[in-house]
Amino acid sequence: MKEVNSQSGGCFLVWTLAVQLVLCGRGVYTSDITKRCGLVSDSNSERKVLERLEPLAHKNFSVVTKEDKGSYTYTFQLCGEAAGFPEAGVVQVDSKSPTKSTIIGRFNSTRVIGGSDWVMLIYENGDAYDGHCSKEKRKAIIMISCNSKIGMGELEVVLEDRDRAHDCFYLFELDSSAVCPVVPSQLSTGSIIVIIGLCLLAVYLIGGFLYQRLIVGAKGMEQFPNYAFWVEVGNLTADGCDFVCRSRNREEAPAYRGVAAEPLEDEPEERDDHLLPM
Ligand SMILES: *[C@@H]1O[C@H](CO)[C@@H](O)[C@H](O)[C@H]1NC(C)=O
Ligand SMILES: *[C@@H]1O[C@H](CO)[C@@H](O)[C@H](O)[C@H]1NC(C)=O
């Protein structure tokens, strides 16, 4: 009885661990950084797309551009202060005079659109243009594309389109595996069941072994749990094979079986006697 109790206790433990493992595997990226982004039109579908970007959180992505008028550093951060500038999702800093900074987009005014292997993140409400674009507010578009080989790629500037009357924007590109289509499942249900089965087998073998060795005091092969039973199973299997495969000498098999079975059947009783004082 004691053996059964300790083994079912072990099974319960393994089940709990396995279930937790599966749940943990699903919830690795449920930190809340993307909640810091304010969506212009708060919709659940946009939130879902935004959550796909979670692996990119907590990182300043920077790129330096050289134009005829000067050199600028653009920094992008996901739902956080880019390069430390309050409210800035994308900020442009003049390399010659680092105090001259322009916020291209604020993360409290975010829009996001996503497809199977890309996400387009738009930060609006940046600093207003001085002369271009009807003095509208600047806007940053970050196009994040799937690249399964790159966890977090380099930020690249594609263009600044400001020679138009309305809807000017800065366009950036970034490669990341975060937006790649989710592989159906790293662990299929079948393999989880196999893993749980192996765990249970291990618990059975180790628990049974310890029980036989420490409590029953068995030695040698007898230390295997339910040794007699498994020997009998082995013998029956061998008989089965013998029956199916052998083409002659069928008569000898029953005698062999009888000899093997007799001493084995006695043993469990001996062991039970041993148990009684406990
Ligand atoms: C981004 O850069 C700024 C300025 O260098 C720094 O204060 C901030 O901690 C950085 N953020 C992250 C998440 O590394
Ligand atoms: C975002 O922050 C700016 C600056 O504080 C503010 O003017 C603007 O109204 C905010 N936008 C939203 C949508 O909260």
Side-chain angles (χ1 to χ4, degrees):
M1 283 310 285
K2 203 171 174 188
E3 182 180 24
V4 172
N5 276 342
S6 72
Q7 278 185 9
S8 59
C11 287
F12 177 72
L13 194 75
V14 169
W15 265 110
T16 319
L17 283 178
V19 167
Q20 277 176 358
L21 211 81
V22 171
L23 291 181
C24 284
R26 297 277 143 84
V28 165
Y29 287 125
T30 48
S31 90
D32 287 338
I33 197 72
T34 55
K35 296 229 167 71
R36 297 193 64 206
C37 272
L39 292 174
V40 173
S41 52
D42 204 1
S43 80
N44 266 342
S45 63
E46 274 189 74
R47 278 274 163 230
K48 285 239 164 58
V49 177
L50 205 50
E51 275 166 18
R52 287 169 60 190
L53 300 178
E54 197 80 49
L56 301 177
H58 304 294
K59 186 174 183 336
N60 289 309
F61 294 89
S62 285
V63 59
V64 180
T65 62
K66 289 206 166 51
E67 293 158 29
D68 2 310
K69 284 167 279 164
S71 154
Y72 296 100
T73 304
Y74 293 89
T75 305
F76 155 67
Q77 195 174 145
L78 178 75
C79 304
E81 289 78 7
F85 286 84
E87 301 169 353
V90 175
V91 68
Q92 177 202 60
V93 177
D94 193 327
S95 304
K96 285 205 194 85
S97 49
T99 47
K100 252 181 80 184
S101 63
T102 309
I103 293 180
I104 309 293
R106 289 184 162 80
F107 62 82
N108 73 350
S109 307
T110 306
R111 288 178 194 275
V112 62
I113 309 168
S116 60
D117 62 352
W118 55 271
V119 169
M120 195 161 94
L121 186 69
I122 304 166
Y123 287 141
E124 297 180 345
N125 209 5
D127 292 345
Y129 285 98
D130 297 329
H132 296 89
C133 206
S134 317
K135 301 193 178 173
E136 279 184 355
K137 287 181 170 173
R138 287 177 172 80
K139 175 164 76 178
I141 302 178
I142 304 110
M143 185 72 199
I144 303 159
S145 310
C146 160
N147 185 336
S148 52
K149 295 189 202 84
I150 300 174
M152 290 187 225
E154 299 288 319
L155 186 70
E156 279 172 45
V157 181
V158 181
L159 70 106
E160 181 198 351
D161 190 354
R162 61 177 191 182
D163 295 321
R164 48 203 274 177
H166 297 283
D167 274 330
C168 306
F169 58 88
Y170 290 72
L171 181 60
F172 302 88
E173 262 182 350
L174 183 64
D175 278 359
S176 170
S177 58
V179 296
C180 290
V182 179
V183 181
S185 173
Q186 295 95 333
L187 274 184
S188 69
T189 318
S191 48
I192 289 173
I193 289 173
V194 168
I195 289 172
I196 290 174
L198 287 177
C199 284
L200 293 181
L201 186 67
V203 167
Y204 169 72
L205 284 176
I206 294 170
F209 179 84
L210 290 176
Y211 176 80
Q212 296 287 354
R213 187 188 177 90
L214 302 177
I215 297 173
V216 179
K219 293 260 163 6
M221 291 298 279
E222 296 283 300
Q223 292 176 84
F224 281 100
N226 306 97
Y227 178 67
F229 170 75
W230 290 116
V231 165
E232 183 64 9
V233 168
N235 284 342
L236 286 175
T237 315
D239 284 348
C241 283
D242 200 44
F243 179 77
V244 171
C245 308
R246 197 182 295 277
S247 57
R248 58 190 173 83
N249 282 350
R250 283 288 307 139
E251 300 84 50
E252 275 170 338
Y256 160 75
R257 181 176 162 188
V259 170
E262 261 171 44
L264 287 169
E265 268 158 19
D266 291 344
E267 277 161 12
E269 281 170 32
E270 273 172 31
R271 242 181 265 145
D272 284 345
D273 289 346
H274 203 88
L275 267 176
L276 282 176
M278 297 188 57

